[in-house]
Amino acid sequence: MSLIKQLWIAIAVVTLIALGGSLVVSTLSARHYLEQQLQVKNLDNATSLALSLSQMPKDPVTVELQIAAQFDAGHYRLIRLTSPTGDVVAEREYAGSLDGAPEWFTRLVPIKAHAGVAQVQDGWHQFGTLTLESHKRYAYAALWQGTLQLLGWFVLGGALTGLIGTLIIKHITRPLGRVVEQAEAIGGRRFVTTPEPSTMEFRSVVRAMNTLSERVRTILAEESRRLEQLRRQTQHDEMTGLLNRSQFLNQLDSALARDDAHAAGTLLIARVGDLTGLNQRIGRAQTDRLLHDLAGQFSDFAAGRANWQVGRINGSDFALLAPGEENAPELTAALAKQLHDGLDAHLQDVTVALPVAATAYAAGEARSQVLARADGALAAAEQAGDRGVRVDGGGKAAAPYPDLQSWRAALLSALERDGVRLGAYPVVANDGRLLHEEAPIRLLLDGVWQPAGYFMPRVARLGLMPRFDMAVVHAALHAISGDGRERGINVSAESLCDANFRGELFALLQADAAAAKRLWIEVPEYGALRHLAEFRTLCVALQPLGCRVGIEHVGAHFGELGDLHELGLDYVKIDSAVIRGIDANAGNQAFLRGLCMIVHSLGLMAIAEGVESESETRALPDLGIDGMTGPAVRTPSAA
Amino acid sequence: MTCVLLGLSFAAQDLDRMQRLARERFGAEAGESVDAWRRMLGDAADLDDQEKLQRVNTFFNRRIAFEDDIVIWQQKDYWATPLETLGRKAGDCEDFSIAKYMSLRALGIPAEKLRLIYVRASIGAPGSGISQAHMVLGYYPSPADEPLVLDNLIGDIRTASRRPDLFPIFSFNAGGLWVGGSTSSSADPTTRLSRWRDVLDRMRTEGLP
């Protein structure tokens, strides 16, 4: 039972005892008073009637009349005159029933007043004994009315006490609500801090919890910093600070394997011509500075876009990977102009050759294919001169729809006509148990169920992501209700920012609590990072519903997720760029081990994405990975 | 008779208390008075009703001097308890009647046979027409009988018909006042408003039943 309820019951009991007790006492003392008054009246009236009878002639008519007159004019239950021998001489008795008070009340609180007794004298002789009893009806009525009135006041007083008591309890326990909230948040792995309340006891509890949260935050920040340092050492080019070749290629692989709005994109390469000659002409230090500046321009260019990657893939080659950027010519022109202008401003007297080439890529292409196209375009750019710029249109088939409007019509009609289907890629725990099935969207376009990478970039460009994500939620909940298997779905950054989407999602999950408990919802790292406030709102809202919430494609920017300890997540999926070739990459192994340690210390599960080979599968559990998914991962046969 | 003896032995403790009170309030002489009264009660315990009446009547008529309330108590009308009457060795007609009534009750005579009677007493020569308010104690051997009158004005006990100087007005006794054997009414503030109930109550606190 809650503390508030217990306090309220205590107040109610105390009020009841106090008011009930005074009601009883008041009624009893009123009864005592009435009894006294009745008794005095009985005695006095008996005496005065006996006195006047003693003075009267004692013929029966006179005696009878005297008694009748007294009885009829007064309020008596009984007047009786008995002779000294015990015979009744005259008697008047009220036979009517008692009203004015309910019978149970007269039984419960009886009024006992003794009859008045007096002697009647006839000269020296005894004439008789007079017994007189007043009627108690009026006394009962008065007592009953008084009790009722008192009861009314007490009910009123009780209600008032209850009301005031409730207000006081609310006031006292207001800080308690926040304390409980924080405790529950910590229980749900959200290590939040709250302002200390003024109540002493609550304050020490909150202080202890704040200390805990603060310590978790400090440890996390410390570990994240160390991890980031490690990552820079192993994944970055020492001189320029850009990604090194192997890590950049891993990123390219990861980008090509993507199945979402950023599935298609552009790969751009710029080459510093004749680096050896340049070294001789302007000196090594100058050349290093030049390369450093170039790297800086690349970094600045990509800085605004969370999932864009820049790398130095050769001594002289710089590369930009721009997932989601499909307009390769425009991107290339913009970056080339910036780079060339920068070069000219930097070195007026020496001309440095810097051909720039780019190619667009589509979802599902092979890395070698894309790289070959980029190399070809770069060769053509070099042919075109020192500042040559070439863009390869991409190896993909001609676009099925000529422009965005026709895409829009096709997408919406497909969604309405056939709805969406979900893919099924198993995510398996180390012990072989199926954690859930990743369920990416499939849409029927031109008679083929196309994978997400085929159309999601257009959906994103058309601003339809919330609508398609919602369709996936519906389909996933339906599928879960059908077979009871757990499903994992993606929520895009665009949907995350859409308050309507969040509200609808919450209502849907609330309406289907059983299915919600089997749903895993994941948001890409760059989405969570860029819209942290919205992501936090979503996490806090979804946690009580029992569904799992996680971050996917976690990698380079993990260290920037500073508030991870306040989110109450359930799992992270680590990007394939980190996982690729992990069995042979000591640097990434160290990074992954550190990452898993942090993740575990917060109570989250670490899942590897894009596991491609048996050797990776074998190496991952030792690094702290709890589950994996990818081409090398099969659905457990037992299932 | 055994009942009476039992009653007396039971009452002995209360009478001790009464004697002590008298000594404290009115001095050693009062204590002796109460002692004499106790001896008289003890002597009369085994006698018949007539002799009890005689003993009690004589005891008070001889020992107690008649005096007005205003002289004894500095009050216009004060009903004294037997202890007070014995203590002061003085009383008016009510005090005589009350003391006799209580003594006879203590000797086991039932209340039904006793009446305190307000009478109009003719004083002076017969037929002089001068009269005053007076109180006597009446004893009714049976309900229908003429009462015997115990009066402080004359020494002997006579039947009512032999007292033409007295005209009865009203009579009362303690019957019906404490029905149901309630132990004490001193907690009841209405008691003090009636002289008769007041004196009964005071006697009870002083040790008389």
Side-chain angles (χ1 to χ4, degrees):
Chain A
M1 199 189 287
S2 81
L3 179 64
I4 295 180
K5 219 177 271 174
Q6 290 182 25
L7 285 175
W8 209 93
I9 288 175
I11 287 188
V13 167
V14 168
T15 309
L16 207 67
I17 290 174
L19 296 188
S22 49
L23 179 70
V24 169
V25 168
S26 302
T27 303
L28 291 184
S29 81
R31 176 178 73 162
H32 182 65
Y33 170 78
L34 287 168
E35 280 178 347
Q36 278 181 354
Q37 293 302 311
L38 277 177
Q39 188 136 356
V40 168
K41 175 175 181 271
N42 286 350
L43 279 173
D44 289 359
N45 290 9
T47 307
S48 76
L49 183 57
L51 181 59
S52 62
L53 276 174
S54 295
Q55 311 310 312
M56 287 284 175
K58 299 296 184 294
D59 63 292
V61 178
T62 309
V63 170
E64 186 80 30
L65 269 177
Q66 187 83 8
I67 288 176
Q70 181 88 9
F71 183 86
D72 295 342
H75 311 88
Y76 301 99
R77 194 189 75 73
L78 170 77
I79 301 180
R80 180 192 291 142
L81 184 64
T82 46
S83 73
T85 50
D87 306 320
V88 175
V89 179
E91 185 180 51
R92 281 286 185 282
E93 189 168 9
Y94 185 91
S97 65
L98 203 84
D99 57 354
E103 211 198 319
W104 62 264
F105 183 75
T106 62
R107 267 205 310 271
L108 188 71
V109 197
I111 295 176
K112 291 190 188 109
H114 301 306
V117 177
Q119 309 300 334
V120 180
Q121 199 80 5
D122 184 15
W124 284 109
H125 289 278
Q126 293 183 27
F127 185 72
T129 303
L130 191 70
T131 308
L132 179 145
E133 271 180 52
S134 290
H135 209 294
K136 289 188 263 189
R137 179 170 58 169
Y138 308 101
Y140 275 123
L143 192 62
W144 173 241
Q145 287 305 324
T147 305
L148 277 188
Q149 216 165 25
L150 216 56
L151 192 67
W153 280 112
F154 285 170
V155 166
L156 199 72
L160 208 65
T161 312
L163 195 72
I164 294 170
T166 308
L167 288 179
I168 293 175
I169 288 179
K170 268 207 183 123
H171 178 76
I172 293 175
T173 55
R174 196 179 303 142
L176 183 63
R178 287 209 304 272
V179 175
V180 170
E181 240 168 60
Q182 188 184 13
E184 278 172 357
I186 287 179
R189 295 185 303 281
R190 287 191 292 114
F191 294 93
V192 293
T193 53
T194 53
E196 291 180 7
S198 57
T199 317
M200 194 178 70
E201 290 85 349
F202 294 154
R203 189 166 53 213
S204 50
V205 174
V206 167
R207 191 172 293 163
M209 290 197 290
N210 278 348
T211 311
L212 173 68
S213 292
E214 190 58 31
R215 194 170 302 155
V216 168
R217 196 190 65 76
T218 317
I219 291 173
L220 188 65
E222 183 71 17
E223 289 299 319
S224 299
R225 200 177 52 75
R226 203 173 297 160
L227 200 61
E228 178 63 16
Q229 225 167 17
L230 184 65
R231 194 183 66 79
R232 292 206 85 84
Q233 278 170 16
T234 58
Q235 299 184 352
H236 286 250
D237 177 58
E238 203 177 331
M239 189 181 89
T240 58
L242 303 184
L243 289 177
N244 59 27
R245 178 182 174 81
S246 72
Q247 195 55 36
F248 186 83
L249 293 181
N250 278 354
Q251 290 289 353
L252 181 58
D253 274 340
S254 166
L256 289 172
R258 270 180 111 145
D259 212 8
D260 61 11
H262 298 279
T266 300
L267 174 68
L268 181 146
I269 301 178
R271 174 172 290 167
V272 181
D274 191 18
L275 193 59
T276 329
L278 198 64
N279 253 332
Q280 286 164 0
R281 264 186 292 159
I282 61 173
R284 190 171 182 81
Q286 189 83 323
T287 308
D288 281 357
R289 205 143 58 81
L290 178 82
L291 292 176
H292 204 265
D293 285 352
L294 270 176
Q297 285 190 338
F298 263 87
S299 295
D300 292 347
F301 194 76
R305 327 291 284 266
N307 59 340
W308 285 18
Q309 307 289 345
V310 274
R312 190 180 177 205
I313 53 176
N314 260 327
S316 58
D317 290 1
F318 292 85
L320 168 71
L321 178 64
E325 178 53 68
E326 290 175 71
N327 193 342
E330 197 179 294
L331 173 81
T332 312
L335 181 57
K337 181 171 180 348
Q338 197 179 321
L339 290 173
H340 292 156
D341 290 354
L343 267 184
D344 292 342
H346 192 65
L347 292 166
Q348 273 99 2
D349 44 347
V350 189
T351 308
V352 179
L354 189 76
V356 179
T359 180
Y361 66 84
E365 280 193 276
R367 183 175 88 186
S368 54
Q369 227 177 337
V370 177
L371 281 176
R373 269 209 314 279
D375 282 341
L378 188 60
E382 281 178 316
Q383 296 288 314
D386 285 351
R387 300 286 164 88
V389 176
R390 281 291 178 277
V391 177
D392 189 296
K396 63 189 170 196
Y401 304 103
D403 53 32
L404 272 179
Q405 278 319 305
S406 27
W407 265 107
R408 182 187 176 85
L411 286 169
L412 290 181
S413 73
L415 185 64
E416 264 160 44
R417 197 180 56 237
D418 304 303
V420 299
R421 274 192 194 172
L422 301 177
Y425 298 101
V427 178
V428 179
N430 291 344
D431 58 8
R433 189 168 46 91
L434 180 70
L435 289 173
H436 65 260
E437 279 175 0
E438 275 192 0
I441 187 170
R442 299 278 181 270
L443 202 62
L444 187 64
L445 288 170
D446 298 330
V448 181
W449 284 99
Q450 297 286 1
Y454 181 76
F455 57 89
M456 282 311 259
R458 312 292 166 180
V459 173
R461 189 113 43 98
L462 288 163
L464 296 171
M465 286 306 280
R467 208 161 150 187
F468 277 73
D469 278 348
M470 190 44 68
V472 171
V473 174
H474 278 286
L477 289 176
H478 185 73
I480 291 170
S481 305
D483 58 18
R485 287 215 296 276
E486 309 205 6
R487 295 291 198 297
I489 58 164
N490 301 333
V491 168
S492 65
E494 290 85 343
S495 303
L496 185 63
C497 295
D498 188 329
N500 288 336
F501 174 85
R502 292 199 306 267
E504 206 179 326
L505 176 65
F506 185 74
L508 260 181
L509 296 182
Q510 209 169 26
D512 193 353
K517 286 190 174 54
R518 299 181 165 273
L519 190 65
W520 301 50
I521 295 175
E522 52 205 46
V523 174
E525 182 190 64
Y526 68 89
L529 201 61
R530 225 185 303 164
H531 310 290
L532 200 55
E534 289 85 354
F535 185 49
R536 191 199 308 257
T537 313
L538 187 75
C539 288
V540 172
L542 293 186
Q543 198 169 40
L545 299 179
C547 61
R548 253 64 72 90
V549 183
I551 303 181
E552 60 170 353
H553 308 323
V554 169
H557 300 284
F558 179 77
E560 294 165 44
L561 280 168
D563 290 333
L564 199 61
H565 64 291
E566 289 191 3
L567 295 175
L569 294 177
D570 295 284
Y571 65 100
V572 293
K573 283 186 174 171
I574 294 156
D575 194 74
S576 58
V578 179
I579 304 300
R580 177 64 31 77
I582 191 80
D583 49 309
N585 187 333
N588 274 0
Q589 281 180 6
F591 173 70
L592 186 59
R593 194 175 281 127
L595 187 59
C596 287
M597 200 200 74
I598 295 180
V599 163
H600 287 158
S601 71
L602 290 175
L604 319 190
M605 191 185 266
I607 296 170
E609 285 178 351
V611 179
E612 273 189 344
S613 67
E614 281 296 317
S615 45
E616 286 171 5
T617 315
R618 278 193 300 275
L620 285 169
D622 287 340
L623 298 171
I625 288 291
D626 303 301
M628 42 192 114
T629 179
V633 178
R634 302 258 181 292
T635 312
S637 51
Chain B
M1 192 55 74
T2 40
C3 259
V4 176
L5 280 174
L6 259 176
L8 279 177
S9 64
F10 266 126
Q13 247 179 347
D14 288 339
L15 294 178
D16 283 343
R17 173 178 146 76
M18 186 170 159
Q19 201 164 349
R20 186 166 44 78
L21 278 174
R23 213 172 287 130
E24 283 168 12
R25 285 194 206 165
F26 306 105
E29 213 178 325
E32 279 161 31
S33 274
V34 172
D35 195 38
W37 176 66
R38 283 185 70 183
R39 275 201 308 279
M40 181 274 291
L41 287 181
D43 292 347
D46 293 336
L47 304 175
D48 66 11
D49 282 4
Q50 289 291 337
E51 288 180 66
K52 281 177 184 167
L53 291 176
Q54 201 65 53
R55 288 284 188 95
V56 169
N57 194 40
T58 312
F59 178 84
F60 283 103
N61 283 3
R62 284 199 185 149
R63 198 169 263 271
I64 307 299
F66 180 87
E67 201 68 73
D68 276 327
D69 285 338
I70 199 80
V71 177
I72 313 170
W73 301 105
Q74 289 77 45
Q75 287 180 34
K76 191 166 172 284
D77 197 6
Y78 181 80
W79 288 26
T81 64
L83 182 139
E84 290 165 338
T85 307
L86 286 167
R88 293 287 167 119
K89 287 190 159 183
D92 72 351
C93 54
E94 289 104 2
D95 303 336
F96 277 96
S97 302
I98 290 166
K100 291 173 187 169
Y101 175 87
M102 289 314 294
S103 305
L104 291 173
R105 290 285 294 114
L107 286 170
I109 295 178
E112 297 89 69
K113 293 191 172 179
L114 298 172
R115 291 282 191 283
L116 290 153
I117 307 173
Y118 284 102
V119 292
R120 190 174 69 227
S122 309
I123 50 172
S128 68
I130 305 169
S131 62
Q132 69 169 29
H134 184 45
M135 186 184 278
V136 297
L137 180 66
Y139 170 80
Y140 290 85
S142 78
D145 282 343
E146 214 182 0
L148 295 168
V149 176
L150 284 73
D151 188 358
N152 62 301
L153 294 180
I154 57 172
D156 56 340
I157 299 171
R158 299 183 191 168
T159 56
S161 54
R162 290 180 57 217
R163 292 299 302 269
D165 56 324
L166 302 180
F167 181 75
I169 302 294
F170 184 60
S171 76
F172 61 93
N173 59 10
L177 278 182
W178 284 302
V179 203
S182 73
T183 51
S184 169
S185 58
S186 52
D188 181 355
T190 60
T191 303
R192 301 279 167 194
L193 298 176
S194 149
R195 269 184 215 288
W196 177 224
R197 285 176 71 194
D198 181 36
V199 76
L200 283 172
D201 195 48
R202 279 188 285 131
M203 288 190 285
R204 191 179 276 218
T205 59
E206 286 167 5
L208 279 175

